């Protein structure tokens, strides 16, 4: 069953056409990721779906309700973490959760919320004394307070250290295990690849790819990627046997090959003849980042 449906959604800010006719559906119990670079239209899409912004065209339904016409019905059934959060600086973490709990009929126990986001030890710390990462984790906990069926998380892991990031991934999986539907935005494509059942990649307000991460990668790349730390002429690498495409970043050449053994042998010969050191060479599967690069010619965080 689809819990979120978006059809031909458009949003303008004055002359800026920020979201340009996107459509997708999110199924019950899935972790769905909306991915894209800064300014792609992710937050605008989320805020339109949850009814914080009015759409200019198109249809949106959340659990069967129109967020503009049935705002209360939607808001009482969802949990939301937004990128910017304004909390009371002098309340403690515990008091903040208690305050937000008072807004809902059904709530998760505060002790459980604290444990979910790893803030148990900070329960009695004032909000003004939290680090950026701790504040982010508190804002994520607020999305879980009302025990909503659909949880919206806008860039939940940006600004978190790697350990907290992984902790949050575990939390998201745990909530999914409880049957929740999670809609998240991120510009960490590695995160989306691990966490999301399906993703929509958005760029300049348009969805350019939609599907399971593995399927998207497989449909765009049969190749493996070889990353070579090198800052010179890329052409000798590009013309190695098996190579289908290549990319040059600052100090790295990436070649994609359909025949890894053949390319590798030739790469070794080339390195020997041109005295190119091969330490630091990495062979990897293609990733969502490669898909984005192929579709747009840019990296997500360029
Ligand atoms: P980020 O990853 O940086 O949060 P995003 O993908 O969430 O980016 P949006 O915040 O939805 O992108 O912004 C989409 C476009 O709309 C951008 O060009 C942005 O500058 C513009 N925009 C967003 N909010 C407003 C606003 N209130 N008024 C005018 N333009 C806006």
């Amino acid at each position: 069953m689809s819990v979120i449906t978006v059809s031909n959604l458009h949003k303008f800010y004055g002359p800026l056409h920020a979201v340009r006719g996107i459509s997708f559906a999110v199924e019950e119990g899935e972790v769905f990721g909306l991915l894209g670079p800064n300014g792609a239209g992710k937050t605008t899409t989320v805020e339109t779906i949850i009814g914080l912004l009015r759409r200019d065209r198109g249809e949106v339904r959340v659990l069967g309700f129109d967020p503009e016409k049935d705002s209360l019905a939607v808001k009482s059934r969802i949990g939301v973490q937004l990128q910017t959060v304004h909390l009371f600086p002098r309340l403690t973490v515990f008091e903040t959760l208690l305050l937000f709990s008072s807004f809902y009929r059904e709530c998760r126990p505060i002790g459980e919320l604290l444990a979910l986001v790893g803030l148990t030890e900070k329960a009695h710390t004032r909000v003004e004394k939290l680090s950026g990462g701790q504040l982010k984790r508190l804002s994520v906990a607020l999305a879980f307070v009302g025990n909503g069926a659909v949880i919206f998380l806008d860039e939940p892991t940006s600004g978190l250290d790697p350990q907290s990031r992984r902790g949050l991934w575990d939390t998201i999986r745990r909530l999914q295990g409880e049957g929740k539907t999670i809609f998240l935005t991120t510009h960490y494509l590695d995160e989306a690849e691990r966490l999301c059942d399906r993703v929509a990649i958005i760029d300049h307000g348009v969805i350019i790819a939609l599907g399971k991460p593995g399927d998207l990668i497989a449909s765009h790349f049969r190749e493996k990627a070889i990353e070579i730390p090198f800052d010179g002429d890329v052409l000798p690498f590009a013309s190695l046997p098996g190579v289908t495409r290549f990319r040059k970043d600052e100090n790295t050449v990436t070649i994609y090959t359909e025949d890894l053994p053949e390319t590798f042998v030739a790469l070794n010969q080339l390195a020997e003849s041109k005295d190119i050191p091969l330490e630091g060479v990495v062979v990897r599967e293609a990733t969502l980042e490669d898909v984005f690069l192929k579709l747009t010619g840019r990296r997500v965080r360029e």
Side-chain angles (χ1 to χ4, degrees), residues 9-86:
L9 175 66
H10 289 261
K11 178 69 194 170
F12 291 84
Y13 296 109
L16 178 74
H17 198 170
V19 173
R20 312 180 189 202
I22 64 173
S23 302
F24 58 87
V26 179
E27 303 305 317
E28 186 175 10
E30 76 175 339
V31 178
F32 185 91
L34 185 62
L35 323 177
N38 289 138
K42 303 183 295 297
T43 299
T44 302
T45 302
V46 171
E47 293 190 348
T48 311
I49 295 174
I50 64 179
L52 282 185
L53 280 178
R54 291 190 78 78
R55 56 187 185 263
D56 290 306
R57 232 182 292 154
E59 289 300 323
V60 175
R61 293 287 178 277
V62 179
L63 295 162
F65 298 102
D66 181 332
E68 282 183 15
K69 295 197 184 103
D70 297 305
S71 167
L72 203 60
V74 170
K75 290 197 175 93
S76 61
R77 288 169 173 81
I78 64 174
V80 177
Q81 170 256 323
L82 295 173
Q83 272 191 60
T84 39
V85 56
H86 300 286

Side-chain angles (χ1 to χ4, degrees), residues 39-169:
K42 303 183 295 297
T43 299
T44 302
T45 302
V46 171
E47 293 190 348
T48 311
I49 295 174
I50 64 179
L52 282 185
L53 280 178
R54 291 190 78 78
R55 56 187 185 263
D56 290 306
R57 232 182 292 154
E59 289 300 323
V60 175
R61 293 287 178 277
V62 179
L63 295 162
F65 298 102
D66 181 332
E68 282 183 15
K69 295 197 184 103
D70 297 305
S71 167
L72 203 60
V74 170
K75 290 197 175 93
S76 61
R77 288 169 173 81
I78 64 174
V80 177
Q81 170 256 323
L82 295 173
Q83 272 191 60
T84 39
V85 56
H86 300 286
L87 300 174
F88 295 98
R90 296 183 70 77
L91 290 188
T92 65
V93 169
F94 186 91
E95 289 163 347
T96 304
L97 291 167
L98 194 62
L99 173 67
F100 276 73
S101 297
S102 69
F103 302 155
Y104 294 91
R105 244 181 263 141
E106 192 200 331
C107 301
R108 273 180 187 274
I110 292 179
E112 190 185 316
L113 290 166
L114 290 166
L116 268 176
V117 296
L119 282 179
T120 306
E121 281 171 22
K122 295 286 169 188
H124 301 295
T125 301
R126 283 188 179 163
V127 166
E128 64 190 357
K129 296 269 195 283
L130 295 178
S131 71
Q134 289 161 349
L135 199 57
K136 176 53 91 58
R137 282 187 273 151
L138 175 58
S139 74
V140 170
L142 295 176
F144 307 147
V145 166
N147 208 14
V150 191
I151 312 282
F152 292 86
L153 304 172
D154 194 4
E155 303 272 359
T157 57
S158 65
L160 292 189
D161 58 78
Q163 197 189 345
S164 306
R165 252 179 102 192
R166 275 190 289 275
L168 191 56
W169 296 353

Side-chain angles (χ1 to χ4, degrees), residues 108 116 144 171-180 182:
R108 273 180 187 274
L116 268 176
F144 307 147
T171 303
I172 289 172
R173 288 195 192 101
R174 194 176 140 190
L175 291 167
Q176 183 181 30
E178 292 177 9
K180 309 278 184 212
I182 317 276

